[in-house]
Amino acid sequence: DSGVTQTPKHLITATGQRVTLRCSPRSGDLSVYWYQQSLDQGLQFLIQYYNGEERAKGNILERFSAQQFPDLHSELNLSSLELGDSALYFCASSGTLISGGDNEQFFGPGTRLTVL
Amino acid sequence: GQQLNQSPQSMFIQEGEDVSMNCTSSSIFNTWLWYKQDPGEGPVLLIALYKAGELTSNGRLTAQFGITRKDSFLNISASIPSDVGIYFCAGRTNFGNEKLTFGTGTRLTIIP
């Protein structure tokens, strides 16, 4: 158990809908990262938040947005869903912005999104 | 999006055999990480490498950070059934804890 929790575990929805994925980082971790894992693209970085502020953006579509709240949990919002958005969405957390030792990215169990 | 080249794509081995896999990039990375993913789970960190040439072990696992900074290797000795899964390399260009670029994965299967 990495200490990172994600809800829901599974989500099935229809095209055009909007969903929210939730992530709680490990206790004390300030940084949250979102990744998308699909069969054709592999694991791709979407966005990073650090202590409530957006830190870095990757291959995140404009239809997707995220935020990190004062209690450090994060939400990833996906709107106008398309079939191609079906994927596993992972959240990872790390303590600070300095890498090394125990301060690497630890992943949650993921949310499997199916768009029908 | 960018992915690192990982080989082999899949491996079928017998229990007790040693395993080698590698990861290559066209650009330099300053950190190399190796993760293992089981079905329905998130990636689990196995080994982290921070210096070119570094060789680091974690039990039966040994990983090396290539001298050119463009590759990394993972070896598993005396494989056991719980080693089954998908192994991913990941690289980071900056020294800070920022986004990871993942490899395409190596699926390890143990033949009974």
Side-chain angles (χ1 to χ4, degrees):
Chain A
D1 185 353
S2 67
V4 179
T5 60
Q6 288 187 250
T7 56
K9 181 83 171 167
H10 301 278
L11 200 49
I12 301 174
T13 188
T15 55
Q17 295 297 305
R18 172 190 168 94
V19 296
T20 297
L21 313 183
R22 183 187 169 101
C23 167
S24 292
R26 294 187 313 166
S27 177
D29 281 1
L30 298 175
S31 202
V32 168
Y33 313 75
W34 286 97
Y35 291 84
Q36 179 192 58
Q37 186 176 38
S38 61
L39 283 174
D40 56 343
Q41 291 288 315
L43 266 159
Q44 297 286 328
F45 169 74
L46 295 178
I47 196 164
Q48 176 193 4
Y49 276 81
Y50 178 76
N51 204 17
E53 300 286 328
E54 182 183 302
R55 172 83 183 169
K57 258 185 176 178
N59 303 315
I60 188 165
L61 300 171
E62 284 193 14
R63 300 183 285 109
F64 296 0
S65 65
Q67 53 184 328
Q68 186 179 27
F69 295 86
D71 67 352
L72 301 177
H73 91 271
S74 178
E75 291 181 356
L76 179 67
N77 301 296
L78 315 176
S79 61
S80 302
L81 285 167
E82 302 175 359
L83 295 177
D85 297 328
S86 295
L88 275 164
Y89 291 85
F90 289 104
C91 167
S93 75
S94 66
T96 70
L97 294 178
I98 301 171
S99 61
D102 188 44
N103 194 37
E104 277 302 340
Q105 294 180 33
F106 292 86
F107 283 74
T111 293
R112 181 176 292 279
L113 173 67
T114 302
V115 182
L116 301 175
Chain B
Q2 182 189 7
Q3 281 184 283
L4 303 173
N5 295 315
Q6 227 176 302
S7 65
Q9 197 170 22
S10 58
M11 302 184 75
F12 296 84
I13 62 167
Q14 291 189 317
E15 186 177 347
E17 284 187 34
D18 296 343
V19 170
S20 290
M21 61 189 77
N22 72 292
C23 193
T24 59
S25 168
S26 57
S27 52
I28 288 173
F29 285 91
N30 289 310
T31 299
W32 284 95
L33 306 171
W34 285 91
Y35 286 86
K36 177 176 181 271
Q37 186 176 21
D38 292 329
E41 303 292 330
V44 174
L45 182 64
L46 300 173
I47 291 180
L49 302 156
Y50 301 104
K51 282 186 185 178
E54 180 181 356
L55 189 70
T56 297
S57 293
N58 177 7
R60 293 178 297 105
L61 277 61
T62 302
Q64 184 160 24
F65 190 142
I67 289 290
T68 66
R69 295 190 178 182
K70 292 183 178 181
D71 56 11
S72 180
F73 305 85
L74 176 70
N75 296 313
I76 306 173
S77 62
S79 57
I80 60 178
S82 62
D83 291 335
V84 166
I86 304 177
Y87 291 80
F88 290 97
C89 62
R92 189 163 54 219
T93 52
N94 297 321
F95 289 103
N97 206 339
E98 299 181 353
K99 73 165 191 175
L100 295 174
T101 299
F102 278 85
T104 47
T106 294
R107 182 182 294 273
L108 181 62
T109 302
I110 294 185
I111 307 166

